[in-house]
Amino acid sequence: MTNRAAIVIAAAALLFGAAGSLFGAPQAGLAALKRQYWRPAAIPYPKENPYGRAKEELGRALFFDPILSGARVRSCATCHNPGLSWGDGEPRAIGENQVRLPLRSPTLLNVAWIPKLGWDGHFHDLESVAMGPITGQNNMNLPEQELIGRLAALAGYVAAFDAAFANGGVTREKIEQSLATFERTIVSGDAPFDRWVRGDEAAISAAAKRGFALFSGTANCAVCHSGWAFTDAGFHDIGVAKDDDLGRGRLFPSSVKLQHAFKTPTLRDVARRAPYMHDGSVASLADVIDLYDRGGIDRPSRDNEITESVLLQADRNVLDALHQFRDLGVRICMDDFGTGYSSLSYLRSFPFDKIKIDRSFIRELGKDNDCMAIIRAVMRLGSSLGMITTAEGVETEEQLEILRTEGCMQVQGFLFSKAVPAAEIPFLLPRLQPRIRAA
């Protein structure tokens, strides 16, 4: 296989994927990308703990009741306050004795869809979470048997447990199942973004749409913050944790990539949940972007997607300027397509009006079949994105005829004219009219 043939195969894979898709997405186009963010139709419940209304109501009562803490002053809602998007707004959680805990309180939004819980993922399901904070001496500080005794001594709770579980009294398992059942009902509300991905173009601003293009393209945010909940539920070192703050690496000490790795948080309600990161060390969303620009601490465990070039400040400034030009009615073209850096990512970040196929491919038309394959791929890409495709550097009648046969929309090159000053264009056009009519 020639080097150019290898390039063709790689280009086809990048452009269309194994199933004829764009940018490696399962299906081509923005509509398919939006569908990846549609909200699910129902909350998933495990077969070992199916949903029950009485169980949900019992879990709700337990969640907000300070009887679950040793001093009877704290409840689950102290750290997971619905008024604070089910977090507490603190950099790190505060225990019963006003002692700062090592990690911040994660939001409970959409936990029904998260397979492993906790910043380091050491809870294998939602049912296994509750007793850790309740019995932790630095957290709610209530021993298990005392908790069960308190609830069993109250007639209202005894009746509620009977209604939820038929009979058998108060047990640890029932407490865990009740709390988990309620917590699975904590789902983020319908947002303007949800209406937009469902087809309401007026639901979000033009700036937000540009942000989504960056988020899904050049900025690479969607690699980790994917799907409707904006999380891959995975664990990554983004260059924040220091020293013995090992995260999931504490559970897997032999794994290089899991050292300092923490759970990818959801981005739902993200503007209301400052500060950020597992330790609350990043104050604002602007600071988060700056962190990703810098790339964080450089070390072997740092995620491959977190590099200094992930989202360059220069890129943001250039894209902002391009949008300002476009708002003035200026049409924007990507020149020399196929040879520039990150061409595909930039196509997703900005709605170019036109893409120009670089002359280096046109020069080999009629001589190299690989060049023709690349040109066809670029024309197909432009058509899929609704962009005009121009072939530049056309110098022979043979090149023109091949491009015309392939359905190229526009051509330019010395075959028609050398570059001329604007004042000479009125004299040039009449000379080109016969060729234009023939096309």
Side-chain angles (χ1 to χ4, degrees):
M1 179 184 294
T2 67
N3 288 338
R4 188 175 289 274
I7 293 172
V8 172
I9 293 172
L14 284 171
L15 288 171
F16 307 114
S21 60
L22 288 173
F23 313 115
Q27 300 179 57
L30 179 60
L33 181 61
K34 287 181 177 180
R35 282 195 291 274
Q36 297 177 25
Y37 291 86
W38 282 8
R39 297 170 65 91
I43 298 172
Y45 288 89
K47 62 181 181 180
E48 299 83 5
N49 185 23
Y51 175 79
R53 180 59 183 274
K55 196 191 305 181
E56 177 194 341
E57 293 305 319
L58 172 58
R60 186 191 307 275
L62 292 169
F63 187 90
F64 289 100
D65 196 337
I67 197 175
L68 269 62
S69 68
R72 299 176 185 258
V73 295
R74 298 173 61 78
S75 70
C76 302
T78 303
C79 288
H80 302 287
N81 186 335
L84 296 172
S85 294
W86 300 92
D88 62 7
E90 297 288 336
R92 291 181 292 147
I94 300 175
E96 186 175 64
N97 297 316
Q98 299 302 302
V99 175
R100 288 279 181 187
L101 302 180
L103 303 171
R104 72 186 301 256
S105 301
T107 180
L108 294 184
L109 286 172
N110 309 319
V111 291
W113 288 267
I114 305 299
K116 292 181 174 62
L117 284 301
W119 283 109
D120 60 3
H122 70 280
F123 296 114
H124 63 274
D125 58 24
L126 197 50
E127 283 73 15
S128 65
V129 174
M131 282 299 171
I134 292 173
T135 61
Q137 291 184 351
N138 292 325
N139 202 325
M140 296 172 76
N141 193 30
L142 180 62
E144 178 183 330
Q145 291 306 311
E146 186 175 349
L147 166 63
I148 293 172
R150 286 184 183 184
L151 296 175
L154 297 174
Y157 268 122
V158 171
F161 274 91
D162 284 344
F165 297 96
N167 53 51
V170 180
T171 67
R172 170 177 177 149
E173 182 179 20
K174 293 176 183 178
I175 295 170
E176 292 172 334
Q177 290 187 347
S178 300
L179 283 168
T181 297
F182 166 65
E183 288 164 358
R184 287 191 175 94
T185 69
I186 300 173
V187 181
S188 54
D190 189 61
F193 176 82
D194 296 305
R195 298 193 291 276
W196 178 63
V197 297
R198 285 283 184 176
D200 181 359
E201 288 300 320
I204 64 174
S205 67
K209 294 173 185 177
R210 295 197 297 269
F212 181 71
L214 274 173
F215 183 93
S216 306
T218 305
N220 230 14
C221 308
V223 170
C224 297
H225 294 285
S226 55
W228 83 278
F230 291 93
T231 175
D232 63 357
F235 303 87
H236 307 273
D237 173 16
I238 59 171
V240 171
K242 301 176 181 178
D243 303 325
D244 63 348
D245 192 10
L246 298 178
R248 196 156 178 79
R250 196 176 300 280
L251 304 178
F252 297 90
S254 63
S255 171
V256 173
K257 296 304 289 184
L258 289 178
Q259 303 308 303
H260 307 290
F262 291 85
K263 171 70 66 65
T264 303
T266 177
L267 295 187
R268 291 283 176 170
D269 274 16
V270 67
R272 302 177 58 194
R273 293 192 286 105
Y276 302 100
M277 307 304 164
H278 71 283
D279 57 358
S281 60
V282 182
S284 69
L285 287 174
D287 292 333
V288 171
I289 301 301
D290 287 341
L291 167 68
Y292 290 153
D293 281 349
R294 297 192 308 272
I297 301 171
D298 187 5
R299 55 194 174 204
S301 60
R302 189 179 66 177
D303 196 281
N304 295 334
E305 303 297 338
I306 306 299
T307 65
E308 292 182 354
S309 61
V310 164
L311 180 59
L312 301 177
Q313 179 67 40
D315 283 351
R316 296 206 301 269
N317 292 341
V318 168
L319 288 173
D320 285 344
L322 286 175
H323 281 290
Q324 291 178 37
F325 281 125
R326 206 167 192 271
D327 291 343
L328 293 173
V330 178
R331 300 179 68 188
I332 309 295
C333 171
M334 176 179 280
D335 203 4
D336 301 331
F337 186 81
T339 61
Y341 173 74
S342 296
S343 295
L344 295 178
S345 294
Y346 285 121
L347 282 182
R348 298 186 70 184
S349 303
F350 184 82
F352 289 93
D353 297 286
K354 179 187 297 187
I355 52 179
K356 287 188 176 182
I357 303 172
D358 186 69
R359 68 181 65 246
S360 62
F361 301 112
I362 306 302
R363 187 181 304 122
E364 300 299 320
L365 276 179
K367 305 174 185 177
D368 191 323
N369 291 334
D370 293 345
C371 275
M372 190 66 254
I374 292 173
I375 291 169
R376 287 190 186 116
V378 174
M379 289 193 296
R380 181 179 172 189
L381 172 63
S383 177
S384 298
L385 296 176
M387 297 177 184
I388 295 173
T389 304
T390 299
E392 60 179 358
V394 177
E395 298 181 355
T396 70
E397 293 286 352
E398 180 186 12
Q399 292 169 347
L400 176 62
E401 185 58 32
I402 292 173
L403 291 168
R404 180 187 290 120
T405 301
E406 293 294 334
C408 186
M409 300 176 186
Q410 293 183 355
V411 294
Q412 68 179 56
F414 284 171
L415 177 62
F416 307 100
S417 171
K418 65 180 181 180
V420 298
E424 294 184 23
I425 291 179
F427 304 101
L428 173 65
L429 291 178
R431 181 160 54 87
L432 293 177
Q433 283 301 321
R435 190 182 296 278
I436 294 174
R437 283 194 294 269

